Amino acid sequence: EPEVTQTPSHQVTQMGQEVILRCVPISNHLYFYWYRQILGQKVEFLVSFYNNEISEKSEIFDDQFSVERPDGSNFTLKIRSTKLEDSAMYFCASSDWEGVYNEQFFGPGTRLTVL
Amino acid sequence: GENVEQHPSTLSVQEGDSAVIKCTYSDSASNYFPWYKQELGKRPQLIIDIRSNVGEKKDQRIAVTLNKTAKHFSLHITETQPEDSAVYFCAATGTYKYIFGTGTRLKVLA
């Protein structure tokens, strides 16, 4: 069964550094998402992406964040200048929206630790 | 804004008993309600979902009910087993994004 994959599984960075988190969505999916989960808390929506543009973003997704689909398979999340509070698990998801219903498949996550 | 409330935050049951987790959503445009199980350090895994045109759905020991009028939906696990121990998240969506509940940590005691 196809799965969403993410790399790296764990990223450690210094505060102020840029990080890029990578995702390979399921191949025939058209909708892509990033979520984050701070340790012990709920999963929070960051951004959705369709047809090479952002379709929706949350208040968390400020100017420090950007997303890109650089080629036909990868989907990336960039954090330009990391802060301590960016430490979280970041999940990528993808979906092939069936009419009005939206079943999303999650990747294994990248644990980002900002020191 | 959109919100999903989930109760209880923790739930301990004896093996073989039933567990019920309840969620309430605020956005009346929500039309799809998935439930995810998350084991420690792992990705959320979809265990069951329900669409807005259905009131109940069952898959072996797991069932979900939806009351659109009250904006409530619930997860029911019967004959619980130790491997059911995990954090369970409900979610609601009517657009591109999932709004997740705060999670329920289920412990099944052997």
Side-chain angles (χ1 to χ4, degrees), chain A residues 20-40:
Chain A
I20 298 176
L21 310 183
R22 302 180 193 280
C23 168
V24 178
I26 293 172
S27 62
N28 62 338
H29 284 182
L30 301 176
Y31 301 84
F32 315 113
Y33 315 85
W34 283 100
Y35 291 82
R36 80 170 186 190
Q37 185 179 32
I38 295 171
L39 187 63

Side-chain angles (χ1 to χ4, degrees), chain B residues 11-12 22-23 28-29 34 52 54 63 74 79 87 92-93 96 98 102:
Chain B
L11 178 59
S12 293
K22 298 182 179 182
C23 289
S28 56
S52 58
V54 174
S74 299
E79 300 171 23
V87 178
T93 182
Y96 298 103
Y98 281 4
T102 48

Side-chain angles (χ1 to χ4, degrees), chain A:
Chain A
E1 186 173 334
E3 288 188 333
V4 176
T5 60
Q6 290 184 243
T7 54
S9 57
H10 192 188
Q11 174 90 49
V12 181
T13 189
Q14 294 290 326
M15 188 169 56
Q17 295 296 305
E18 174 182 289
V19 295
I20 298 176
L21 310 183
R22 302 180 193 280
C23 168
V24 178
I26 293 172
S27 62
N28 62 338
H29 284 182
L30 301 176
Y31 301 84
F32 315 113
Y33 315 85
W34 283 100
Y35 291 82
R36 80 170 186 190
Q37 185 179 32
I38 295 171
L39 187 63
Q41 299 186 22
K42 69 176 179 179
V43 178
E44 299 175 289
F45 170 81
L46 292 178
V47 65
S48 60
F49 191 85
Y50 169 69
N51 199 25
N52 283 318
E53 60 183 27
I54 290 173
S55 44
E56 193 167 2
K57 61 182 181 180
S58 72
E59 60 274 10
I60 302 168
F61 194 88
D62 61 22
D63 292 344
Q64 293 298 313
F65 291 88
S66 63
V67 290
E68 191 178 28
R69 186 152 164 84
D71 53 42
S73 60
N74 290 283
F75 179 52
T76 62
L77 174 69
K78 181 192 289 186
I79 309 175
R80 289 189 183 81
S81 179
T82 50
K83 303 187 281 282
L84 295 175
E85 53 264 38
D86 293 328
S87 294
M89 181 75 91
Y90 288 80
F91 292 104
C92 172
S94 70
S95 70
D96 181 15
W97 200 337
E98 301 176 30
V100 297
Y101 302 114
N102 183 13
E103 180 177 347
Q104 297 179 18
F105 296 81
F106 282 75
T110 293
R111 181 167 298 283
L112 176 64
T113 301
V114 181
L115 303 176

